Amino acid sequence: MKEIESLDLSHNELSGKVPLQLTQLSSLGVFSVAYNNLSGCIPKSGHLSSFGMDSYRANTNLHNITQGNACAPGPDPLLEEDVEETLGDLGLYAITAAAFLLAFCATIGFSFRRSYGRIVMLKL
C-alpha cells in the first residue's frame, strides 16, 4: 500500500484526525480529504506537506501546524468558486423544474384533447 499514487477520500463524511501513517505514502501524487468532518492538525511531515489547502477544503475543525507546533485555523470551508458552483446548480434546478412542468402540462393537455375528441365523435 505504500506505493499508492492517488488517494481521494473527499465527500465521505469522515471524522477524526488525519492519520499520521499517510505521511509515509511517498508515491502519492493526488491526495484529497476535502468535504469531510476532519479535526486536529494537518500533518506537515512527509509527502503530505507538498499538497495544497484544496486537499483539505471544507473541514472546519482541521488546522495548520504553526512554527510553535500549535494548530492555527485551517482551510476556509467555503471558497468563492464553491459559491459560483452553487449558483450554477440553482439555475440547472430551475431549468429542470420548468422542463418537467412543461412536459407534465403537455401530457395533461393531450389527455384532455383525446378524451374530448372521443366525446364529440360519439355525439355525431
Side-chain angles (χ1 to χ4, degrees):
M1 181 111 169
K2 288 185 178 184
E3 300 300 318
I4 192 167
E5 296 176 358
S6 178
L7 182 62
D8 187 346
L9 299 171
S10 58
H11 300 279
N12 278 301
E13 298 181 22
L14 300 174
S15 60
K17 297 180 179 182
V18 177
L20 291 176
Q21 290 87 346
L22 293 178
T23 61
Q24 298 172 359
L25 301 177
S26 59
S27 300
L28 206 57
V30 176
F31 175 72
S32 180
V33 289
Y35 301 99
N36 284 296
N37 192 26
L38 298 174
S39 59
C41 292
I42 297 171
K44 287 296 179 185
S45 60
H47 197 57
L48 289 186
S49 62
S50 65
F51 296 103
M53 294 309 291
D54 286 344
S55 295
Y56 303 96
R57 181 183 295 170
N59 286 287
T60 55
N61 296 319
L62 199 57
H63 306 290
N64 288 324
I65 296 177
T66 61
Q67 289 178 344
N69 289 336
C71 287
D76 188 6
L78 285 177
L79 297 176
E80 288 182 27
E81 61 189 74
D82 292 336
V83 173
E84 290 174 14
E85 286 181 35
T86 303
L87 293 176
D89 291 344
L90 290 176
L92 180 62
Y93 294 144
I95 290 170
T96 304
F100 175 78
L101 186 60
L102 180 63
F104 180 76
C105 290
T107 303
I108 298 297
F110 284 121
S111 296
F112 283 126
R113 182 174 172 208
R114 286 187 178 174
S115 298
Y116 181 72
R118 288 181 187 148
I119 293 171
V120 170
M121 293 181 105
L122 291 176
K123 287 183 179 180
L124 292 175

